[in-house]
Amino acid sequence: ARNDVVEKKGMSWIQNIIYKGILNRRSLVARFVGLAGLIPGLSSKGGRPLRHLADMASFAPGALSLPRLSPRPLRKRIGTVTSPPPGVRERGLVAFFPGCIYEFFLPEIGEDTVNSLAKAGFSVVFPEGLNCCGLSVHNAGDFRTSCLLASRNIEALESYDHVITGCATCGSALKDYPKWFKQGDTMAEKALRFSEKISDFSEFLVKNSFVGGNA
């Protein structure tokens, strides 16, 4: 129903700016949240974190507040590849999908997640070319943009056998990508194969018989 409304009436100007302008260009995301954090009364250390940057499109004064933007996003804290520490048997290669909140607001949690995977024996790749998972955009009814974001994520991650995320919302979105594309769409089959590679951080470790004392 929301998609029908968007197709017929379009979206608000702020939704167009955020969905089509900012989230489509990852290089602008950090700048955007940094500027948003400077708005008086909006950014607070104890503010309720936005699960997705697109939530800003439905912002109501006093309803949401941004935690402080980390001065060092996740990509500057970890390398492209994080290998198991010396003495730990390597068990495979995985790709990490951080989501917006772990990359820009709470990168220390993203760093801990990556290091825990490495200590469990996995080499962890933080790929280039990742975008917002697109769930908030999809829920708002802008299917075209959400499918574009999904397509870019699939292309960036499809070469890996396992894709791990610590964000439950992002994980559910990545697993649901096959439902986003119409039957006959060239991306539909790719999305189905891709969805089978997605695991939540804890889910993945349990599946691989991880013993907590090893990390």
Side-chain angles (χ1 to χ4, degrees):
R2 290 181 181 178
N3 179 243
D4 287 343
V5 172
V6 168
E7 290 293 328
K8 293 175 182 177
K9 298 184 178 181
M11 296 181 295
S12 68
W13 64 270
I14 191 169
Q15 287 177 317
N16 274 311
I17 290 174
I18 293 176
Y19 296 168
K20 299 181 183 299
I22 296 175
L23 293 183
N24 267 337
R25 299 169 178 82
R26 195 67 170 175
S27 62
L28 295 179
V29 172
R31 294 182 184 180
F32 170 74
V33 294
L35 291 173
L38 295 177
I39 299 175
L42 179 61
S43 177
S44 63
K45 188 174 182 179
R48 181 167 71 85
L50 299 179
R51 289 181 300 169
H52 294 280
L53 296 179
D55 288 343
M56 285 294 292
S58 59
F59 170 74
L64 296 171
S65 59
L66 284 171
R68 296 198 187 282
L69 178 70
S70 172
R72 293 181 65 219
L74 181 60
R75 193 168 289 280
K76 291 187 177 181
R77 290 170 175 255
I78 63 175
T80 302
V81 180
T82 302
S83 301
V88 175
R89 178 177 61 88
E90 185 161 352
R91 305 174 65 188
L93 179 72
V94 301
F96 181 61
F97 186 90
C100 299
I101 193 70
Y102 286 173
E103 184 164 1
F104 298 111
F105 294 107
L106 302 172
E108 64 276 7
I109 298 179
E111 186 176 10
D112 286 344
T113 303
V114 169
N115 288 334
S116 294
L117 287 166
K119 289 178 181 179
F122 297 94
S123 290
V124 186
V125 180
F126 190 0
E128 298 286 346
L130 299 181
N131 288 279
C132 167
C133 70
L135 183 60
S136 292
V137 183
H138 192 76
N139 287 346
D142 185 3
F143 288 2
R144 294 183 183 181
T145 302
S146 64
C147 285
L148 175 61
L149 293 171
S151 297
R152 290 176 179 172
N153 285 328
I154 291 171
E155 290 170 0
L157 295 164
E158 64 182 344
S159 63
Y160 300 96
D161 292 332
H162 302 283
V163 178
I164 314 301
T165 181
C167 174
T169 305
C170 289
S172 65
L174 300 178
K175 290 178 181 180
D176 277 350
Y177 277 177
K179 301 176 183 178
W180 292 15
F181 297 93
K182 296 179 180 179
Q183 288 188 347
D185 190 306
T186 55
M187 287 299 300
E189 187 175 341
K190 280 189 174 184
L192 181 60
R193 293 196 300 268
F194 173 75
S195 67
E196 296 170 351
K197 303 178 180 183
I198 309 303
S199 293
D200 176 80
F201 164 67
S202 300
E203 173 191 21
F204 180 76
L205 291 181
V206 170
K207 283 182 179 178
N208 285 275
S209 303
F210 170 69
V211 179
N214 289 344

